[in-house]
Amino acid sequence: LLMAAARINIPTIFVSGGPMLAGRRLDGKQTCLSSLFEAVGQFNAGKITAEKLKEFEEKACPTCGSCSGMYTANSMNCLTEAIGMGLPFNGTIPAVYAGRRRLAKTAGERVMYLLENDIRPKDIITKKSFENALTCEMALGCSSNTVLHLLAIAYEADIPVNIEVIDEISKKTPQICKLNPAGKIFITDLNEKGGIPAVMKELSKKGIINTDCLTVMGTVGDRISNAKDADGEIIHTVDNPLRQDGGIAILKGNLAPEGAVVKQGAVAPEM
């Protein structure tokens, strides 16, 4: 859809369906899609009972919405917000919250403003806003699939981005969030701590966010001016990041001479 918006270039705002809530087991631990995958493996290995597997099946994905962690859908919804094509909190308000309905209503009003003022996707999707999206991708530890999607969107928007540019941004961007499936933090947790505006505000302290970029509502600078400060646990500070480089890396070698993508923020360091 972002590819189409860039190609057709008519006034557009994105409203995603929103993430589902994390599940909760009888022992109080949170569950998600990857918990269910692991439970199937544990059952096949004889480590849990059929009853325990059924509990996972019934509780892992409890509501409508995209997966509760930083999988592909939520990654792209967060990056749609970071690039400026969605309203603040588009990437993080849960599907079942009333805030998602309010977001949709605001988007319906705001798209008329874009129409009246002839503000189009290519006015928003620029090289600088793409740099913002890639910086957020690295800071959030997004899905490796986002590399495929962002390159395709850049192509449609006539922006010169390739995997070398992505690798460059990764090397200078600290990872400040580690969400499920790489960690035990969920999208709802990120939403409560200020969402993408708070992440971008913290990254701006390192001078790696282009605050003058236009979005569907104001500039990036406008968005982050009233954003929450990093809490240090869900959103780490740039002075105390989870890692000094980004959550995604580009690898090259004899197995992949043209490049390969790894979500380095989710694998064992020795890899």
Side-chain angles (χ1 to χ4, degrees):
L1 290 170
L2 276 167
M3 290 167 69
R7 189 184 306 152
I8 299 167
N9 203 33
I10 59 173
T12 304
I13 288 185
F14 276 76
V15 185
S16 70
M20 69 172 67
L21 300 180
R24 197 169 289 279
R25 297 192 335 233
L26 292 174
D27 57 12
K29 290 182 180 176
Q30 287 185 302
T31 58
C32 58
L33 178 68
S34 57
S35 315
L36 185 55
F37 292 159
E38 289 165 11
V40 171
Q42 289 175 325
F43 174 72
N44 289 337
K47 293 182 178 178
I48 62 171
T49 64
E51 289 73 25
K52 178 59 77 174
L53 177 60
K54 185 171 176 58
E55 185 189 346
F56 274 101
E57 183 183 344
E58 291 176 347
K59 295 180 179 178
C61 301
T63 70
C64 64
S66 45
C67 301
S68 53
M70 195 56 83
Y71 299 84
T72 306
N74 290 332
S75 294
M76 285 308 300
N77 291 332
C78 288
L79 297 183
T80 297
E81 186 182 330
I83 209 168
M85 286 297 291
L87 293 170
F89 296 95
N90 171 72
T92 58
I93 297 173
V96 293
Y97 280 16
R100 182 60 59 177
R101 287 177 177 263
R102 292 196 295 272
L103 184 83
K105 183 174 182 180
T106 305
E109 294 168 350
R110 189 66 187 178
V111 79
M112 300 311 296
Y113 173 88
L114 298 184
L115 179 64
E116 288 158 12
N117 291 274
D118 197 33
I119 298 172
R120 298 167 182 259
K122 283 189 178 179
D123 297 322
I124 296 168
I125 305 174
T126 63
K127 187 173 187 296
K128 287 173 78 173
S129 71
F130 234 87
E131 288 170 359
N132 284 347
L134 289 168
T135 299
C136 286
E137 174 186 42
M138 299 308 166
L140 291 164
C142 288
S143 164
S144 55
N145 285 335
T146 55
V147 173
L148 294 171
H149 301 318
L150 289 173
L151 287 173
I153 295 158
Y155 177 83
E156 293 295 349
D158 302 314
I159 296 168
V161 176
N162 53 32
I163 57 174
E164 283 72 26
V165 171
I166 293 172
D167 197 41
E168 223 173 89
I169 290 175
S170 174
K171 285 173 180 171
K172 66 179 184 183
T173 306
Q175 184 177 352
I176 58 174
C177 294
K178 191 169 186 175
L179 281 74
N180 170 269
K184 295 179 180 177
I185 295 164
F186 294 85
I187 293 287
T188 46
D189 301 318
L190 179 60
N191 186 63
E192 286 164 13
K193 296 301 180 183
I196 303 308
V199 171
M200 295 183 83
K201 180 181 181 179
E202 186 58 31
L203 293 171
S204 71
K205 294 175 182 176
K206 197 173 169 68
I208 52 176
I209 291 291
N210 299 307
T211 57
D212 59 339
C213 287
L214 181 68
T215 77
V216 291
M217 186 178 276
T219 64
V220 170
D222 296 331
R223 289 191 176 197
I224 67 176
S225 61
N226 296 316
K228 289 183 179 180
D229 291 319
D231 68 309
E233 186 180 346
I234 308 298
I235 304 171
H236 285 238
T237 63
V238 290
D239 294 328
N240 184 33
L242 290 152
R243 56 183 301 136
Q244 294 295 337
D245 53 358
I248 287 178
I250 304 297
L251 308 180
K252 286 192 174 180
N254 62 321
L255 294 178
E258 294 181 16
V261 182
V262 62
K263 185 172 175 175
Q264 64 178 351
V267 298
E270 58 268 23
M271 289 180 68

